[in-house]
Each structure stands twice: as structure tokens, then as C-alpha cells.
Amino acid sequence: MSDWRTRGKTSLSAAVLAAILALPILGFQLSETGTGLTVLARLHTVAWVFVAVGLGSFALTSARAIKWPSIALPAQTSDRLGWALAIFALALPFLPFADRSLIDKATLILIYVMLGWGLNVVVGWAGLLDLGYAGFYAIGAYSYALLAQAFDISFWLCLPLAGLFSALFGLALGFPVLRLRGDYLAIVTMGFGEIIRIVLLNWQSLTGGPNGISNIARPTLFGLTFTARALDGGKTFAEALGIPYSANQRIFFLYFLILALALLTNFLALRLRRLPLGRAWEALREDEIACRSLGINPTNIKLSAFAIGAMCAGFAGSFFATRQGFITPESFSFIESAVIVAIVVLGGMGSQVGIVFAAIILVGLPEWFRDLQNYRMLAFGLTLLVVMIFKPSGLVSRRSPTIVLKDPA
Amino acid sequence: MLSISGLHSGYGQIEALHGIDLKVPPGSIVTLIGANGAGKTTLLSTLCGHPRATDGQILFDGMDITHWPTHQIARAGLAHCPEGRRVFPRMTVLENLELGGTPLGAKANADDLEKILDRFPRLRERLTQRAGTLSGGEQQMLAIGRALMSRPRLLLLDEPSLGLAPLIVRQIFELIETINIQEKITIFLVEQNAYHGLKLAHHAHVLVQGRVTLSGSGAELLANPEIRAHYLEGGLTTQT
């Protein structure tokens, strides 16, 4: 079969190219010997690269040659899948195999699911590529931490305040970038995200700079704490229910808390999408000129998308702060923004269910493969590549209409 | 209804319109014909404030809308059906129509939609289809239907015949005429297809390099030998 031959040729040239590149990068090693440095040749590494790239390329081209059955989900299945996921998430802590580390990982994934859903409003629907989303996440986290420390107010009061604060910053970013689109917008938002991080890093007196803020107040449930012993007159959760204390209670509580926050975000986002506002977001993504001619004010629509997206990030940020109990500007670097954008794009730009799967793949898998250590980022990159090769428009690329006539005449 | 006086407009340093004076009386169809690059589209876009007029005045129903933001002009009852249709390709036909009702806000109701779907039965068949998958003629109908959703008093149509088959072009112009008669919507039409454009026009103007060079009734211009030579000869043979 000539087909095999062409694939073989492609793979061979890819392998040769990789080996040529690998030679100067991986082929030599400097090692210290007594008096100075010696250059060691590591040609076997280059050989490994040659073999790996050759086989990988052959496998990839072969896989692409096969006609895969299309797994486009019909509308109802996608909806049902969403419900099934939600029920599974609710039941997860009660399943026999759910231990502390699993719930911890699930909590982390849910943070990113929530961030993904928030950013989806901005990127997936309004079509405004925002590469500085971690900035709003940071603002949420720091406003919770600072408010809780300075005024000793509870998590539940801080949460809306942190959201509000982030939304205000969303508006502040929105104004200067109103006239920008596409690549230019991406660069400015990226800069904005970095500005926030660097301000947090350098405003020592307020934020503690690189030392961060520690001893952030833990959340309570109707005044019940999740510690072993209650502080000054309060009650712990375990005491109130008359059950023995266990550290798991806090982990599980945090899990349900982020699940509730994420589902709330999802509910709000889906509701907004069906309103004229949501339709205007999508119309703006499609064609701004046509929008204006239809009496849509692009300023308001863009700003609302930025503000609502930022608000979700603010909520997620305050949850992050209360979960970690300790935050530094390190946690909000550009890579965070990049991961969240990757989740939205991988999920299918606008699909809520797709974002859940993308978050599991991009955040969950690297957690499970922690043992691979240095190769984790390699696995991360490979996952991105594989998904984009086989599903170039994202995991769930079907767009569901925002409105249907109930009784088609 | 619409009265334009001494209008100048352009892009950056380049001026495309050098003082346009034009009136669109209520209830009429006014057609503007002109060659490529004469400034037809610029004139319609300037009426909507994009680009802004650099000089002159635009009165709509006695209101000076020259400096209004685009979306407010649309909300005042002036609908613009832009060149090249510009439907929202990834959204469904129904969503496109709903977006057309934006200027009405809470006043929008299902009757508008029903009325438009009765007028364009093809759109009713394709309500859940993505607008980008419609044929050119259907997209043009959608663009007009979308503009009508805002219950406009004045409809600006920018080359509705662009890129359509002759049979479809005839249908579209018949539609424009019925909309004018039945809905009492004033229409300002910009066309390269001079024959059809002039045939239904009550008043017509010829735009050459940013200036109105000739005005009259549609029939007058159709009979004008100069117009025939420049815009119709050759064109006429393919149209009949």
C-alpha cells in the first residue's frame, strides 16, 4: 500500500528533523571533572528522540488516516450528560473509593471548572480573548484575604464583596480595551494580568509582597467551624452534630462549597445566555458592525461580559484563598491564565459540558500523574496537541441555540 | 422623513462624500445609484454614524442625528440593512431575528416575529438552522427580516441584490415594494443594479465620485439617455 509508504516517509523525515534539532540541545552534556569541564556526548539520547518521534509520527498519521466514528452529541444527550455529571459530582464524596486525596483533587478541578465557566462568558460567548484572567482571580483571593484580616468579617460576607471588587476591576480593564479586538486585545489583557500580579508582589505594606498572606480565615457553616477545637465560645461542626471530629469533614465541606459555587456560576451563565444580553454577546462575537446597526450598544455589552467574567473569577479566587489559607502572587502567574484559556478552547469555546471535561483533562490528569514529575508538562503539552489534532474545534463544539419556538408551526 | 444637507464624510484623510444634499420624503422609495467607489455605501454608513460626518447635517424626523451614537440612531427607528447582508453566521435564523428586535427592548413581542415569518415563509422553514448555512437569497431575506423586527420607520438597504441570481433579485425587489406599500415603511435604497433600483423608485439620485450629479423620478432617470449609456446599456439586455 502506497499509503503506508507515504506515512513512513513523513515519519522518517520528522524523525530526522527531530534528531538534528536534538543533537545540539540534548546531545551534549557539560560535566565537572576535578580541574575543569568536559563535554560528554550523549548520542543515545538523540537516538531515543529519533525513535520516539519516528514511531509517534507514524502512530499519529496512521490514527488520522482511520475514519473515526463521529461522536457529535445530539442536543438532548449533551443536556443529559450535564445533569449526569452534576449528580455524579454531588454523589462523589459518598462513593466508597472517595478518599481525602481524591476529594482534594476534585476540589481543585472544580475551581478550574468554575474559572472556565466564568471565562467562557468573555472568550467563548462574547469572543473577547482575555489572557489576563488570573488577574481577576488574584483580586478575588486578595480581597477576601485582606478583608477577612482587616475587618474580621466572615467568608460569606466577603464572598460577594470579593466578587464585586473583581467585577469593578473587570470594568476598569474593559474601558481602555473597548476598541481593541483579537490579538491586540489579547496582548493588553495579558499585560493587565501581569500588572496586577506585579503590584501585588511589590505593594509590601498591603499585600506582604512575595511573602504573601498567611492564616487566612477558614470558612464556617452557619457559624460552625471545621477545626478540632472551637475558638472562643463557638461550636465546631462535629460538636454540633455530636459526631467525632475528623479532618475529612473540612475537606468534604470545601468540596461541596466549590461545587455549589460552580453550579451557581453555571446556572447564572446559562440564564444570562438566554437573555437578550447573552444573545447580544454572541452577536457581538459574530459581527460588531451588524450589531450596531441593530441598535446594540457594543460598549455596554462588552463591559458586561468583562464584569461578569471577572466576578466569577473573584468568587473562585476567594474560595481559593480560604481553601489554601495562604496566598502569594506566585499562584496567579500568567501560566494560570493560559491554563484557563486552554480549558475554554479545549472544551469547545462556549460549551459548558466541554469545559468540565477539559478541566478534568488539563488539571486532573497532571495531578494524577504527579509521579511523572518532570514529564508532567510534557504530558500536558501532548494532551493539548492530541485533542487539537483530533477535535480541532474543541471537545464539545456543538452550539445549542438560545431560543427555540415551543410549537413550530 | 430624512433630510441630508451639505454632508461631508470619509475615511481618515480621504474624503469620500463632498457635500451631499438629499431628501427622503415619508412613505416613498428613494434610490441612489452609482458606480463602484462612488460613495454609496459610505453615505448609508454615515447616516448611521460610522464613519462620522465631518461636516453637514442629517435630520431624521426633524431630529438632528448627525452626532448620535450608532445604536441610538437605530433605536430612533432607522434600520440599516448593511452591504453584504452581515447575518450572524453561527447563530440560528430565529436568534438573528430576535436580535433585530433589540431596539424595541421590552416592547418587542411575538407578533412581530409572526408577521415577518408570514412574509418570508422560507425563513419559517429554516428557523433552527444556522444563518451561515442559508443561501444568499435566504440570507438577504433574513437580513431584511431582521431589520424589520425593530419596527423601523425608515429602512436603509445597501445593495440587496449583491451576488444574487437574477430570479432571486426580482423576488427581493418585489418584496421591497410590498414592504413599502403594506407596512408604510419609507425606503432608502442603494443599488448598482440600476434597472431594478430605478424601476421601483419614486425618487432617484445618481452619485458620482461623492457628489449627486442627477436627480429625478425613477421613471425619468430610466428614460434619461445619459443614464442608459452609463448604467443600463448591456445591463438591460441581461435583465430582460
Side-chain angles (χ1 to χ4, degrees), chain B residues 5-20:
Chain B
S5 50
L7 191 70
H8 289 255
S9 170
Y11 306 93
Q13 295 295 311
I14 301 153
E15 196 179 72
L17 301 177
H18 317 290
I20 304 284

Side-chain angles (χ1 to χ4, degrees), chain A residues 345-359:
Chain A
V345 174
L346 210 63
M349 290 285 248
S351 161
Q352 302 288 85
V353 174
I355 284 172
V356 177
F357 286 117

Side-chain angles (χ1 to χ4, degrees), chain A residues 324-337:
Chain A
Q324 303 291 102
F326 167 68
I327 49 172
T328 71
E330 281 293 286
S331 316
F332 310 104
S333 55
F334 172 66
I335 190 75
E336 289 298 312
S337 303

Side-chain angles (χ1 to χ4, degrees), chain A residues 276-277 279-280 283 289-297 301, chain B residues 48 60 68-81 88 95-109 112 116 143 145-155:
Chain A
L277 176 68
R279 264 200 294 283
I289 303 248
C291 272
R292 288 181 192 222
S293 79
L294 296 179
I296 294 168
N297 181 356
I301 303 299
Chain B
C48 296
F60 175 56
W68 284 21
T70 305
H71 61 98
Q72 270 180 20
I73 296 173
R75 286 175 196 197
L78 191 154
H80 184 196
C81 193
F88 303 113
E95 285 170 328
N96 268 274
L97 289 171
E98 286 286 327
L99 277 158
T102 314
L104 295 179
K107 280 182 288 174
N109 61 45
D112 290 295
I116 284 159
R146 186 177 65 177
L148 290 178
M149 281 293 282
S150 64
R151 292 184 217 153
R153 285 170 296 147
L154 173 62
L155 180 61

Side-chain angles (χ1 to χ4, degrees), chain A residues 273 276 279-280 282-283 285-287 289-298 399-405 409, chain B residues 50 70-71 74-75 80 82 86-92 94-95 98-100 102-103 113 117 124 127-128 146-147:
Chain A
R273 182 166 178 260
R279 264 200 294 283
E282 286 193 84
R285 174 193 70 197
E286 304 277 287
D287 193 326
I289 303 248
C291 272
R292 288 181 192 222
S293 79
L294 296 179
I296 294 168
N297 181 356
R399 175 185 173 277
S400 58
T402 60
I403 180 172
V404 281
L405 288 189
Chain B
H50 189 85
T70 305
H71 61 98
R75 286 175 196 197
H80 184 196
R86 285 184 179 265
V87 294
F88 303 113
R90 279 186 290 180
M91 304 179 81
T92 64
L94 181 56
E95 285 170 328
E98 286 286 327
L99 277 158
T102 314
L113 183 66
L117 291 179
R124 192 191 287 281
L127 271 184
T128 54
R146 186 177 65 177

